[in-house]
Amino acid sequence: MAKTNWNIDPMHSEVHFKVKHMMVSTVTGAFDEFEGKTEAEDENFENGTFTFKAKTASINTKITDRDNHLKSDDFFNAEKYPEITFNSKSFIKDGDDFKLVGDLTIRDVTREVELEVIHDGVAVDPYGQTKAGFELTGKINRKEFGLQWNGVTEAGSVVVSDTVRLVLNIQLIKQ
């Protein structure tokens, strides 16, 4: 069976991350510029392949000074490492949901990650385009990707948690 190509619809997709700050609150950020595609045999997407890229300079936490710090060499070094990439290895059914396993590259470090995926279904929009929706979640340890910076408060708490939660809401357009 021929494979079908699907592209991320950036107008109807979000790429967010959440990280504990001072261990008492959560900061949410986003990457505003990203692209990705999927190749699958059918609209079930099982055993499909997924690729994704986000521009590190597009990081947005709604605080300019923090965003500039995240773009610096303390974190992403957006100038030297302009993209975060993901290339899938497997996408398999797990009960009602899916597990997506692939290689995530941040800076010059590539590690295998596993994401939980909810396939929200397929629908045809008013313009005749076939769309598919997905919610992807997972966790990574930022230090494993070379994002080492941290500070310590007077009370001895760390400023930024090592654990980063990934939350992506993706809509694909059938090509």
Side-chain angles (χ1 to χ4, degrees):
M1 176 182 261
K3 294 203 179 235
T4 302
N5 292 314
W6 301 71
N7 290 336
I8 288 180
D9 178 355
M11 298 292 290
H12 298 102
S13 299
E14 304 171 325
V15 177
H16 288 117
F17 60 89
K18 296 178 178 288
V19 64
K20 285 283 187 194
H21 181 255
M22 308 269 298
M23 308 320 285
V24 296
S25 65
T26 299
V27 170
T28 300
F31 289 97
D32 292 338
E33 295 177 37
F34 53 87
E35 63 184 51
K37 61 184 177 181
T38 301
E39 201 175 78
E41 288 183 11
D42 56 37
E43 293 179 359
N44 178 6
F45 292 91
E46 194 162 6
N47 299 315
T49 59
F50 296 80
T51 60
F52 173 83
K53 293 179 185 178
K55 301 281 186 198
T56 52
S58 76
I59 198 164
N60 181 359
T61 65
K62 299 181 181 169
I63 305 289
T64 301
D65 286 346
R66 180 172 49 213
D67 294 346
N68 288 336
H69 189 203
L70 289 167
K71 293 174 194 178
S72 79
D73 194 39
D74 281 346
F75 290 95
F76 291 103
N77 192 343
E79 190 174 310
K80 187 172 181 182
Y81 306 106
E83 292 182 333
I84 293 170
T85 62
F86 177 84
N87 293 297
S88 70
K89 292 179 170 181
S90 68
F91 185 68
I92 53 173
K93 194 101 169 123
D94 183 32
D96 291 336
D97 301 322
F98 290 89
K99 291 225 184 287
L100 176 61
V101 176
D103 288 331
L104 178 65
T105 301
I106 300 174
R107 293 178 63 105
D108 57 350
V109 178
T110 301
R111 296 221 182 268
E112 186 176 277
V113 298
E114 182 177 293
L115 302 173
E116 303 291 324
V117 181
I118 297 171
H119 181 209
D120 290 323
V122 176
V124 178
D125 72 11
Y127 306 101
Q129 295 181 309
T130 302
K131 307 266 185 113
F134 296 90
E135 296 174 37
L136 300 89
T137 57
K139 291 180 184 178
I140 62 168
N141 181 324
R142 66 183 180 88
K143 287 189 173 177
E144 291 179 352
F145 291 92
L147 307 178
Q148 299 292 327
W149 184 89
N150 216 334
V152 179
T153 67
E154 277 184 27
S157 298
V158 295
V159 175
V160 182
S161 171
D162 292 350
T163 301
V164 179
R165 291 183 291 144
L166 307 174
V167 182
L168 294 83
N169 290 296
I170 301 295
Q171 188 175 104
L172 299 172
I173 304 172
K174 190 175 189 177
Q175 301 301 297

